[in-house]
């Protein structure tokens, strides 16, 4: 009897993260198919006077990598949106790192409880997925001056979709938008598994036409994303 073929999982995230995700997919006994919809391009902005900032906030490992390439400064406290970003900061040499273990709102709440004021530098994407200053206001913390610093941009790739796959992983709202715009017709009967409701939102309408819905991880991190992948594979093609 021929054993069943491991499910094929399309990884849409940009490198170098895609390779790390592929290794985890392989460890799960599945077949990773790396075909990024996005590529990360570091920027070289003029740096402000870094001495005037009391802390840094990172919303992604890409921000950590891009900022770390611009300066050797590692002595400021770091607030990270999640554990992967926090680990990236520690790997880059930052020593006082705290993880919010959540989304932008959780990051804002952490900062609001740990800073009594001052100035915060946020190395981020050229078009950020959210506004940390607005989130800090909503968190009701002290007045903190937030300075956003674009250190990278993501751009669409010309990558074609894999020939066949049983699941697709969506790591960002931008990837969700590109998947919906370019490849919606390929998703019928596929488990569409997203890292957050924001990443799933662009896919809701095209999948609804097929009577399906994307799945969103309960928390916006890859551990939660991969935890729902195998159950999602068992239910792929099921109706809304």
């Amino acid at each position: 009897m021929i054993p069943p073929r491991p499910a094929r999982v399309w990884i849409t995230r940009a490198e170098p993260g895609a390779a790390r995700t592929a290794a985890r997919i392989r460890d799960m006994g599945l077949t990773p198919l790396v075909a990024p919809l996005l590529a990360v391009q570091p920027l070289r902005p003029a740096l402000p006077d870094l001495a005037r900032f009391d802390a840094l906030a990172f919303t992604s490992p890409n921000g950590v990598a891009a900022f770390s390439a611009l300066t050797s400064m590692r002595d400021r406290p770091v607030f990270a949106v999640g554990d992967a970003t926090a680990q990236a900061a520690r790997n880059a040499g930052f020593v006082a790192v705290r993880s919010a273990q959540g989304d932008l709102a959780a990051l804002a709440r952490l900062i609001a409880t740990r800073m009594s004021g001052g100035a915060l530098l946020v190395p981020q994407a050229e078009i950020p997925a959210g506004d940390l200053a607005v989130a800090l206001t909503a968190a009701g913390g002290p007045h903190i001056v937030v300075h956003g610093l674009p250190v990278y941009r993501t751009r669409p790739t010309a990558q074609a979709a894999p020939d066949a796959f049983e699941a697709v992983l969506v790591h960002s709202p931008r990837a969700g938008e590109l998947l919906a715009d370019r490849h919606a017709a390929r998703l019928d009967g596929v488990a569409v598994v997203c890292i957050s409701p924001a990443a799933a939102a662009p896919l809701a309408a095209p999948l609804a036409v097929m009577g399906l819905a994307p799945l969103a991880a309960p928390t916006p991190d890859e551990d939660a994303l991969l935890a729902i992948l195998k159950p999602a594979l068992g239910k792929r093609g099921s109706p809304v």
Side-chain angles (χ1 to χ4, degrees):
M1 181 177 177
I2 300 174
R5 183 192 65 236
R8 296 160 292 189
V9 181
W10 178 14
I11 299 167
T12 64
R13 73 182 301 196
E15 293 287 12
R20 294 193 297 269
T21 300
R24 298 189 67 180
I25 293 296
R26 200 172 290 111
D27 287 345
M28 293 171 66
L30 305 173
T31 300
L33 304 174
V34 176
L37 293 175
L38 293 165
V40 175
Q41 179 183 354
L43 303 176
R44 298 199 62 84
L47 292 178
D49 178 8
L50 299 178
R52 69 183 178 89
F53 294 100
D54 300 288
L56 304 171
F58 289 110
T59 57
S60 74
N62 291 327
V64 174
F67 179 75
S68 298
L70 296 173
T71 174
S72 61
M73 187 193 80
R74 301 290 189 272
D75 63 348
R76 294 296 186 272
V78 167
F79 299 101
V81 70
D83 290 345
T85 301
Q87 189 58 53
R90 295 185 187 101
N91 292 346
F94 295 97
V95 292
V97 180
R98 291 186 175 92
S99 170
Q101 298 180 316
D103 56 11
L104 195 70
L107 178 61
R109 290 192 296 270
L110 174 65
I111 294 168
T113 61
R114 295 291 182 172
M115 290 184 69
S116 58
L120 181 71
L121 181 65
V122 188
Q124 60 189 7
E126 185 176 47
I127 303 176
D131 190 325
L132 184 56
V134 171
L136 277 168
T137 300
H143 177 66
I144 298 170
V145 177
V146 178
H147 180 88
L149 180 68
V151 293
Y152 73 96
R153 66 167 57 104
T154 55
R155 55 180 178 79
T157 69
Q159 181 73 58
D163 291 337
F165 50 97
E166 285 72 52
V168 57
L169 298 183
V170 182
H171 279 75
S172 69
R174 183 67 179 122
E177 291 169 3
L178 290 170
L179 185 64
D181 290 344
R182 294 180 175 182
H183 305 293
R186 299 288 308 279
L187 302 179
D188 195 4
V190 170
V192 180
V193 187
C194 307
I195 202 164
S196 67
L203 292 151
L207 286 178
V209 172
M210 306 172 197
L212 307 173
L215 296 177
T219 57
D221 59 80
E222 193 167 81
D223 286 345
L225 177 74
L226 297 185
I228 65 172
L229 174 57
K230 279 194 172 179
L233 280 165
K235 298 177 181 178
R236 72 181 190 274
S238 59
V240 174

